[in-house]
Amino acid sequence: RGVGLACCRALASSGYIVVMVARDWEMLAREAEGVRGCGSPCVVPMRADVTDYDAVNKILLRTFHDFGDLSVVVACAGINRRSHMMASD
């Protein structure tokens, strides 16, 4: 939604592979279809709660495994948990 979805569309239209992450699977799947129409060679929706460190780690490991590298990361989830951010590696 919002800024994150707009970033996904912009990156897709520039030819990037886009990995989209959200908690709401139905919304995520629907929006991923729209992003696919923007020109990305690959759009991968992944359901996860980004406040869960282990879930984010799994997303990153799968992304590295499937695609080898990250060129751009857009982190714009509407959360505010500084204690978790400061404690992460």
Side-chain angles (χ1 to χ4, degrees):
R1 294 177 219 179
V3 173
L5 182 56
C7 290
C8 288
R9 289 177 179 149
L11 291 167
S13 67
S14 295
Y16 282 86
I17 293 169
V18 177
V19 176
M20 300 172 66
V21 180
R23 289 178 297 184
D24 181 344
W25 178 252
E26 290 177 8
M27 181 274 305
L28 181 61
R30 182 178 59 251
E31 297 297 355
E33 283 302 314
V35 172
R36 282 185 185 98
C38 294
S40 174
C42 182
V43 176
V44 181
M46 294 188 190
R47 185 184 180 284
D49 181 346
V50 297
T51 65
D52 180 340
Y53 181 84
D54 291 332
V56 172
N57 194 46
K58 287 177 185 176
I59 294 289
L60 289 171
L61 290 173
R62 179 173 168 201
T63 301
F64 288 133
H65 178 266
D66 292 352
F67 303 109
D69 201 359
L70 293 175
S71 298
V72 177
V73 174
V74 176
C76 59
I79 58 172
N80 185 9
R81 295 196 179 175
R82 293 180 188 176
S83 61
H84 290 295
M85 180 62 106
M86 298 302 179
S88 64
D89 295 337

